Each structure stands twice: as structure tokens, then as C-alpha cells.
Amino acid sequence: MIDAIVTPMIDAIVKRTVRYRQHSFIRVVRRTLAVIFPLALIGIIAQVLFIVFFSNDGYLYNVLSIGDWVPKVVLTKAQYSLLALSQVTIEMLTVYAAYGAARYTAQLYQIDDQVPGITGLVTSLLLSVRYTPNRGVSFDQNMMSYGSLLGGLLVGYLVGQIFRWLGKKNRLKPGQPIHTVDIEEQVAAYTRPILVIMLGALAINFVLNLVSYYSSYTQAAALMQSLSSGNTPFWLELLMVCLTTLLEWLGISGSYNFQLGTDSTEAMANLNYALAHHTAYGVPYPYLGSSLYNSFANFGGIGLALALLLAMAIVAHSYNEQRMVRANFLPVLFNRNTGLMVGLPVLLNPLYILPAVFLPMVNILIAAFAIFIHLIPTPVYWVPDGTPGPLVAYVGSNGNFVTLLFTLALLAFDVWVYIPFVRLSLAVEGRIREIDAKEDHKDV
């Protein structure tokens, strides 16, 4: 009886998701994410190595006392090298996404993709330019990095569409040789769309610089961060968690940082209480949003990425899927989920929006209840950067063993919740492959 009800529902979800995947923007997104995934993975591994091993506040740096036995010059050069690698990969991911999205949009409509790709890249860079008071220019790193990935995808898609609408309709002919004369003619035919795109980007750049001049974005970001780390109403903390994970699912940075938030007035009050009374039970602010979120709702990164990765390891059996699990295990273990968000992908994947957005909120509610009944204490102590997600609450509670058991049970619950969503995702991928085979291996 249950199967007769559930099976048609699953089939309907699979069909709707397949139709969603066939939308032109989503097709471009999927192709672009597949291309930039290696850069995202390499960049995030570089960040993990820098933060965990070579940063003074890093988890393994402190556990292994790396600063005591590794020469300072070696540490410094390693930091510079890893920062450089991170800078040209993960910190410029939005620019690469704009390039890829513009190219694949052009390819989708069978027009030459070289000029649209370069134009998408230049447009993304132009939107990132900021003017300094001494009449110099700089680049807004936030506009170029992973945190603005959705913007890069939209810019590239729009650039490709403008070339489709305004460019000369010279269709690509498979196997036809391309000569210098052909390229020159094609570029000349693209003068109008390039001019329109540059003028539009220049106008948007003017507006963004006005916003930057009046610090509007900075003030809004500071307000969101204060709401997540201060003594805000509990319902507002839950709302901020949902907003953060939803924005991350969209490809935009949210308001919560990984840091446990011990620099706020309320967090310092909790820490002083614990130090004075030799216990974290009964602290004046037991339900701080940053403490609850980072301790119990951030395993592996935003959206409980570690639970998703473990669910994939249990359910998925193909070589490609297991390779994705292995490639992302190290970064996700240390709470960096960019590779998984891009490579799986979780970004703009409707099958993962429910657990990614609402499961962290469920974790916080369960943890708040456990604190309320004094099953576990509120984590109040400093936690090193890159501490594995399931150990954050344990370290933040000064090694409380019950807290460790509670956190592991919570992680197991999260994995159990993620498993049916992973199975649905695998079913959709199987259906997509069937469609590809029927259409002579064309991407859908």
C-alpha cells in the first residue's frame, strides 16, 4: 500500500527535476560547474592546508605543535605558496564561471563561443573594479571569489544570450576548419553585442561603485553578522540559519562565519562565567546563534556537507560518484565544502534544497533542547580554525564526552535524513543518462 503511494510520488519528482534540468540556464550552469570543479577543488584544498596546518590558529598546527619544529621561513613560504594557489583558483572562481557560462550559452545555440567567452570574462572583471580615493583602481575580491558564483553564472549566461540576440547568425558547422579570416569576420559581426555588453557593464559598475562609496554593502553585511552572533531572539537566529544555507545553495555567501564567535560581548560573558564557575552549565547566554550553528549545524560546511558526503558514500556505487566522495573528503572533513557544492553539484540542485536549508535548523532545535535539559553544556571555549565539524562542540565544551556522543548521534541522524535525497538524485542522473543515450549522447 505504501509503495503504491510513494512510487508515483518519486516518479513525479524525478520527472519534474528532469524538466528543470532541461532549462537552458540550468544546462549552462551544470556544464560550467563541471568545468570549474577542478579549480574549485584545488583551491579549497590549498585553503584547508593553509588554515589547518600553517595558520597560527589552525587545528593541526596547534595539535601537532607545528610551529615548534618547522622553521619559520618554511612556514612563511608555504603560507605564501598556498595563498597564491588559492588566490588564482577559488578566489577567482566567479570570473571563470562567467567565462564558461558565456561559452556554453553560445554553444547551446550553435554560435561561435570564443568571443562570447572572452567577453563574459572581461565583463565579470569590469563589474569587480572599484575606484580608490587616490584615483587608483582595485578589484573587489568578493565579486570575483566563490561567494559571488551565482553572479558570474548569470553574467555569463546573459552575455551569451546577448550574442545570440544581437550577433550575426553564423552557425557552427561541426568539422569545418576555422581560418584567421573566418575569425576576423566573426569578430567584426560581434561588434554590436560587445558594445552593448560593455556599456551595460559600465553602467552597472557605476552603480556598484556608488554603493561601495557609501558603504551600503558593508553595513548590510555587518548587520547580518551581528544578528547571527549577538543575543538575538531565537526565532531570528533560526531565520538567519535558513537564510545562510539558502544563499549558499544559490551560490552566494551567507551571514554565518565558521568562527565560534567568542569575540562578541555575549560570548565573552559565557566564557568568563565558565572560567569563574568551572562549568559551562548555566551560562547567561546559552542559545547564542553562532555557538549553536557552528557546533551542531555546520558539519563539513554549510548545509551539513559531511552528512551529505557520508550518505553518498553509503548509497552511491558507481566509480564517478565514489571518486567525488574521495576527492572531497579531506576538505569537507575540515569544514570546507566548496568542492562538493560545485562538483556534485549542490548549487541550484532542487533535490538538496530541503535538507540543506532546513536540516541545520532541526539540528539547532535539538541541540537547544539538549542544552535546556542540561544534557550537554553550551560550547563557550575557543575552537581552532579547521576543527573537524563533529569535534567543534567537543572542543568548545572543553572536552565534554557526552557532547561528543550527542554530536555523533546528531551526525548519524543527518546522514539518515540525507540518504533518500541522494537516492532521488541518483535516480534523476540515471534518467538523464537515458535521455542522453536516446538523443545520440547530446547533453540535456
Side-chain angles (χ1 to χ4, degrees), residues 340-369:
L340 188 66
M341 295 292 290
V342 173
L344 188 57
V346 179
L347 288 173
L348 299 175
N349 189 334
L351 295 176
Y352 292 127
I353 186 172
L354 286 178
V357 172
F358 294 105
L359 194 54
M361 183 176 66
V362 173
N363 278 19
I364 288 178
L365 288 171
I366 296 174
F369 179 74

Side-chain angles (χ1 to χ4, degrees), residues 370-433:
I371 292 173
F372 175 75
I373 64 175
H374 291 271
L375 175 65
I376 59 174
T378 301
V380 299
Y381 296 97
W382 174 76
V383 177
D385 289 347
T387 300
L391 297 181
V392 171
Y394 175 71
V395 175
S397 61
N398 198 27
N400 185 281
F401 188 67
V402 176
T403 299
L404 178 61
L405 294 179
F406 173 82
T407 304
L408 293 176
L410 203 57
L411 176 60
F413 166 74
D414 296 333
V415 173
W416 176 74
V417 172
Y418 257 116
I419 284 177
F421 292 95
V422 173
R423 285 177 173 157
L424 269 178
S425 179
L426 295 178
V428 170
E429 292 299 329
R431 188 71 59 86
I432 290 291
R433 284 192 291 269

Side-chain angles (χ1 to χ4, degrees), residues 11-24 26-27 428 432 435:
D11 289 340
I13 292 173
V14 171
K15 290 179 181 178
R16 288 180 179 273
T17 307
V18 169
R19 286 199 296 269
Y20 168 81
R21 285 275 301 273
Q22 291 175 319
H23 188 278
S24 61
I26 301 303
R27 293 166 68 183
V428 170
I432 290 291
I435 295 174

Side-chain angles (χ1 to χ4, degrees), residues 112-255:
D112 181 73
D113 61 347
Q114 298 179 69
V115 178
I118 295 174
T119 306
L121 185 147
V122 172
T123 302
S124 179
L125 289 174
L126 179 57
L127 294 176
S128 304
V129 172
R130 296 293 175 268
Y131 309 116
T132 58
N134 59 354
R135 297 186 179 182
V137 296
S138 63
F139 288 95
D140 185 348
Q141 197 66 53
N142 294 324
M143 292 286 292
M144 301 170 64
S145 65
Y146 167 75
S148 301
L149 189 60
L150 178 63
L153 293 169
L154 288 172
V155 165
Y157 180 73
L158 183 58
V159 166
Q161 291 289 358
I162 291 175
F163 273 93
R164 171 197 172 197
W165 296 327
L166 301 181
K168 187 177 179 181
K169 308 300 190 222
N170 288 338
R171 300 293 179 179
L172 292 176
K173 297 179 180 180
Q176 178 182 358
I178 300 177
H179 303 288
T180 303
V181 175
D182 299 322
I183 297 175
E184 291 173 347
E185 291 178 354
Q186 190 66 61
V187 171
Y190 282 157
T191 301
R192 184 170 60 168
I194 292 175
L195 183 60
V196 170
I197 291 167
M198 291 296 105
L199 289 176
L202 198 60
I204 297 173
N205 173 268
F206 175 77
V207 174
L208 291 176
N209 273 278
L210 280 180
V211 172
S212 176
Y213 178 79
Y214 289 107
S215 303
S216 302
Y217 174 80
T218 304
Q219 293 173 9
L223 175 61
M224 294 182 68
Q225 187 63 40
S226 66
L227 290 176
S228 67
S229 60
N231 185 30
T232 55
F234 191 66
W235 66 268
L236 186 56
E237 294 175 359
L238 295 178
L239 179 62
M240 295 302 298
V241 168
C242 288
L243 177 62
T244 294
T245 49
L246 177 61
L247 291 175
E248 183 82 2
W249 179 83
L250 289 170
I252 306 172
S253 292
S255 62

Side-chain angles (χ1 to χ4, degrees), residues 258-272:
F258 170 69
Q259 287 293 342
L260 199 56
T262 53
D263 56 344
S264 69
T265 303
E266 295 81 5
M268 288 302 300
N270 284 348
L271 179 60
N272 291 334

